[in-house]
Amino acid sequence: MRDRDIMRKSFLILVLGLGGTFTSAQASDSAVLQSMLDGCYAGTKSCVIDLHGATKTLTKALRINPERATIRNATFECRMTSGTCLYISQDGFPHHDPMTINRLEGITLLGNKSIDGITMNYTDDHNFNTNAAITLSSVSIQGFNKGISFGNNVWSVDMFNVIIGNGNIGIYTQPNVHSAGERSTFSGGTIYNNAVAGLDEESCWEFDFEGTSFDFNEQQMILKGETSFTGHIENKDTGKPEIVLGALVGVPAGSLYMSAGSSITVDEWDAKHPKQPCYVQTSLSYNNIKFPATIYGVGGTQGAVCGPGTAVNWTGQPFSEK
């Protein structure tokens, strides 16, 4: 079965499930859960919060201190009408030494396109020792405006088996952030069916994607930093470039380095009548693109690449269309 059929069926199941869930009246669990977190921060309750597979309704964002709390095994129905569902930040919390590694594990977030799923941000521009990041392991983020939004003082985020779908933007990095973006790894998982972009990088972030799929997003990636990718990219012919490379002043230009084992396909591509101008659009001569060995349907009205950026194949030789 093609990835697209799987994603459509998954989305149908999700919609049918949400239809029954969101129409039933449920009391908000936000205050009780925040009290559990606050007890962790005060040292009076456990900082490992295991909800044993329960479904919880949130009408107010949970404030999560990434240095202290781990949350496991829950489905959160996020019903607020603005803001974000989970706000991960050290704002208002003292720094602890030694630092501990905490995570969201076995978590499903269900939301709507007027809110974001997870926001990581720490507004103190003067403290270079802290990090608003938290590890994500086996997390599903469904139906949000931005699935994950990265802001200030967020770096070295590790994400394992995370799927983000059916929203507007899967992964978003906020513009003009401070002390953010140092090498973050996304291992496994899928970014799919997002109406604007799978990844919209508005600051110079450094991403490694290992064994990850980008499937049927309106645009797959908008990049302004260095990104390495091993995995699978598949889409229909959307009529626009799948990947856009730009740059910011004073930082390395947006670049995409794909491994030999990666694949790029555009389903229902017609070589005689392509709809899109190209697969990758660059704005600067120092945007770099390294294509993998397996490419199908990346040609467009202007070729595989639009713009002045340098394109090579996985051996490092100049890329030529076949």
Side-chain angles (χ1 to χ4, degrees), residues 277-289:
C278 55
Y279 196 89
V280 180
Q281 177 180 295
T282 80
S283 58
L284 298 167
S285 60
Y286 47 94
N287 291 133
N288 292 315
I289 309 105

Side-chain angles (χ1 to χ4, degrees), residues 140-295:
S140 176
I141 303 169
Q142 299 290 324
F144 292 89
N145 181 37
K146 302 178 182 75
I148 301 176
S149 178
F150 296 129
N152 296 286
N153 293 286
V154 182
W155 35 269
S156 299
V157 186
D158 292 321
M159 295 162 281
F160 305 96
N161 190 32
V162 173
I163 62 173
I164 308 173
N166 304 311
N168 285 327
I169 297 171
I171 302 169
Y172 181 73
T173 68
Q174 300 171 20
N176 305 313
V177 296
H178 170 81
S179 188
E182 294 178 18
R183 218 71 201 172
S184 295
T185 300
F186 200 108
S187 181
T190 303
I191 314 299
Y192 69 102
N193 287 3
N194 290 291
V196 177
L199 167 61
D200 183 1
E201 184 195 349
E202 296 301 324
S203 57
C204 187
W205 219 265
E206 301 172 2
F207 274 120
D208 289 331
F209 291 96
E210 301 176 356
T212 304
S213 293
F214 275 71
D215 289 327
F216 304 102
N217 301 290
E218 181 65 16
Q219 283 190 295
Q220 304 283 31
M221 301 178 188
I222 300 170
L223 301 175
K224 293 183 175 68
E226 298 181 55
T227 298
S228 65
F229 183 87
T230 296
H232 168 98
I233 296 177
E234 182 177 9
N235 208 358
K236 61 184 178 180
D237 194 339
T238 63
K240 62 182 69 173
E242 300 288 345
I243 297 171
V244 177
L245 298 177
L248 298 172
V249 176
V251 295
S255 299
L256 178 64
Y257 302 94
M258 301 186 69
S259 74
S262 299
S263 64
I264 304 174
T265 60
V266 177
D267 294 348
E268 302 174 2
W269 176 69
D270 185 344
K272 295 182 179 179
H273 303 285
K275 296 179 182 178
Q276 60 202 123
C278 55
Y279 196 89
V280 180
Q281 177 180 295
T282 80
S283 58
L284 298 167
S285 60
Y286 47 94
N287 291 133
N288 292 315
I289 309 105
K290 180 177 283 190
F291 277 123
T294 306
I295 302 174

Side-chain angles (χ1 to χ4, degrees), residues 44 60-61 70 84 97 108 111 121 125 167 170 190 193 203 266-267 272 275 304 309 313:
T44 60
K60 185 177 180 180
T70 288
T84 190
D97 279 321
T108 296
N121 183 55
D125 288 347
T190 303
N193 287 3
S203 57
V266 177
D267 294 348
K272 295 182 179 179
K275 296 179 182 178
N313 64 24

Side-chain angles (χ1 to χ4, degrees), residues 90 95 122 124-131 153 178-179:
Q90 291 177 340
H95 174 55
Y122 179 51
D124 185 353
D125 288 347
H126 304 291
N127 191 335
F128 292 91
N129 299 316
T130 54
N131 181 8
N153 293 286
H178 170 81
S179 188

Side-chain angles (χ1 to χ4, degrees), residues 69-150:
T70 288
I71 304 176
R72 294 175 175 163
N73 305 321
T75 295
F76 293 129
E77 295 178 357
C78 306
R79 300 192 183 184
M80 57 283 295
T81 58
S82 62
T84 190
C85 185
L86 304 183
Y87 186 68
I88 298 171
S89 176
Q90 291 177 340
D91 287 342
F93 297 111
H95 174 55
H96 291 269
D97 279 321
M99 293 179 65
T100 58
I101 297 175
N102 297 289
R103 60 193 179 274
L104 301 179
E105 183 177 35
I107 298 296
T108 296
L109 296 180
L110 306 176
N112 61 77
K113 290 184 179 180
S114 65
I115 61 174
D116 297 338
I118 298 173
T119 299
M120 300 185 191
N121 183 55
Y122 179 51
T123 58
D124 185 353
D125 288 347
H126 304 291
N127 191 335
F128 292 91
N129 299 316
T130 54
N131 181 8
I134 196 168
T135 297
L136 273 58
S137 178
S138 297
V139 173
S140 176
I141 303 169
Q142 299 290 324
F144 292 89
N145 181 37
K146 302 178 182 75
I148 301 176
S149 178
F150 296 129

